[in-house]
Amino acid sequence: MAATLLPTLSPPVSRAAALLLRRAPPKPFPLPSPLLRRLLAPTSSPPIHSPTFRSHATMPSAAAAGGGCRATPDRGDLLMLGIETSCDDTAAAVVRGDGQILSQVVSSQEDLLARYGGVSPKMAEEAHALAIDQVVQKALDDANVSESDLCAVAVTVGPGLSLCLRVGVHKARKIAKAFRLPIVGVHHMEAHALVSRLVNKDLDFPFLALLISGGHNLLVLAHGLGQYVQLGTTIDDAIGEAYDKSARWLGLDIRKGGGPALEELALEGDPNAIKFRVPMRQHKDCNFSYAGLKTQVRLAIESRNICASDIPISSATEEDRQLRADIAASFQRVAVLHLEERCQRAVEWALKIEPAIKYFVVSGGVASNQCVRTHLNHIAEKNGLQLVCPPPSLCTDNGVMIAWTGIEHFIAGRFDDPPAADEPDDMQYELRPRWPLGEEYSEGRSVARSMKTARVHPSLTSMIQGSVH
């Protein structure tokens, strides 16, 4: 039953009301989530049954199914609901085809992160299941629209945690089935790259993008929509993972995220206090590795007898706090220097492939880090490029980036037809937890790959190229 992402069809005529086009968008704000407090209580909800995933057969075209596909709608008439549940945030948004954000809602799992010291996939899945209906309904209410006003539903299908992805896909298909809406399956990392095109209307292909988050480090050359060349990726841990673990080991309050907590503490420290080694300098490629730097941080903490597990930063002595701040600052200096070195090489490669590049996009949760932005802006200016970073609210996982990417592919004719009316509620969906974005650049192949980079699904680029006849 559908979810192939790549059929080439004509988008359906919009059903957005004319009144909506004159309505100013409400201001987005985060959703308080009392449901997550219930999850943390001793009487939390029972585990959700995990079905066995399988691939889907292709559905008949929307025209054949009576979906009413006719002419391509005007962008201003197009309304897209975006749903994101790839990791630890339940997010939804309604975005108009011209880029107007009508609503943006995020329910964070910060209490769970603090309790478990990171993402617990099963607990994250349960939190998504508790929050998803409320989050989506609030996104619709804030936008002052109903499901019948939508043109389609966009949802993250990978990469991410399978248990979490499933919650969002199930909700998207439930809405699509009830209101006969097409579905756009979205690549999470492509969404991080393309949301910059919503923010900067002048940003056109080709461009270079660095996508940095808790689970991913990715350098890609974007030739066009769905057309990417992978210049570099992480061979083990991503920079966001290194920030989060280091913050936890330093006894920081990570409820708002390990990265922001460590960046704040680093402002108090000496970045040259500890001589951490810069990773992978012997490898002349654009790949990243943060596992070794994590180990260096852990050993530095242990050698200085910092008992962060027993004494949180809020209870540390002045001397102890200064030690932790020095470690944080020294870690951040090397972590960002590693980014700079790989990005400089990637810029050189990208300009050799596409001399017309004018923009360097930096997006993903770690792109909210001001130290990261400042240093990467130096790389951009040094090479005559303009740095483009979404605002922090669009760097972290959010529904806006999913909705916008859905709009771009929907207009290009890449979407799935509405689910069949008789599709069972316990339908098993195709998910892509490990899903490369682009094809690997020949000079960028690493000799130090780990199992984390095993390719379970063909890349988005190869899927799209394979669909062109």
Side-chain angles (χ1 to χ4, degrees), residues 6-178:
L6 300 173
T8 303
L9 306 171
S10 298
V13 171
S14 169
R15 288 168 286 152
L19 179 62
L20 175 65
L21 302 181
R22 298 192 296 270
R23 185 179 298 123
K27 295 181 179 179
F29 57 91
L31 173 68
S33 188
L35 290 175
L36 294 183
R37 295 189 181 91
R38 285 173 42 201
L39 177 65
L40 293 171
T43 55
S44 59
S45 301
I48 299 171
H49 174 66
S50 176
T52 302
F53 302 119
R54 61 178 175 81
S55 298
H56 304 284
T58 304
M59 291 183 66
S61 69
C69 283
R70 295 192 296 277
T72 301
D74 180 81
R75 285 195 77 125
D77 294 334
L78 202 162
L79 281 180
M80 184 74 68
L81 170 66
I83 298 175
E84 156 64 21
T85 62
S86 67
C87 190
D88 58 344
D89 284 332
T90 310
V94 178
V95 178
R96 212 166 69 177
D98 58 6
Q100 192 171 17
I101 301 171
L102 301 184
S103 66
Q104 180 180 357
V105 179
V106 180
S107 178
S108 173
Q109 296 182 12
E110 58 188 31
D111 291 337
L112 285 176
L113 294 175
R115 179 173 178 178
Y116 292 98
V119 179
S120 169
K122 190 59 185 175
M123 298 303 289
E125 177 203 19
E126 293 178 353
H128 284 305
L130 284 173
I132 189 69
D133 289 343
Q134 184 182 0
V135 167
V136 170
Q137 189 58 54
K138 186 164 181 59
L140 293 169
D141 292 345
D142 287 357
N144 200 14
V145 302
S146 66
E147 292 90 342
S148 60
D149 296 315
L150 301 172
C151 291
V153 181
V155 62
T156 306
V157 297
L161 300 173
S162 294
L163 293 176
C164 299
L165 290 166
R166 182 184 62 184
V167 177
V169 173
H170 176 79
K171 180 64 176 179
R173 294 189 71 82
K174 183 177 179 181
I175 294 173
K177 183 172 92 168

Side-chain angles (χ1 to χ4, degrees), residues 427-448:
M427 178 70 179
Q428 297 171 359
Y429 313 113
E430 179 189 11
L431 304 174
R432 298 165 189 157
R434 291 180 181 171
W435 189 17
L437 180 56
E439 292 302 284
E440 195 172 21
Y441 182 48
S442 58
E443 292 186 36
R445 291 195 175 94
S446 173
V447 297

Side-chain angles (χ1 to χ4, degrees), residues 379-399:
I379 295 294
E381 291 180 344
K382 174 183 174 182
N383 293 277
L385 303 178
Q386 179 181 336
L387 185 72
V388 177
C389 288
S393 65
L394 297 182
C395 281
T396 53
D397 293 350
N398 62 87

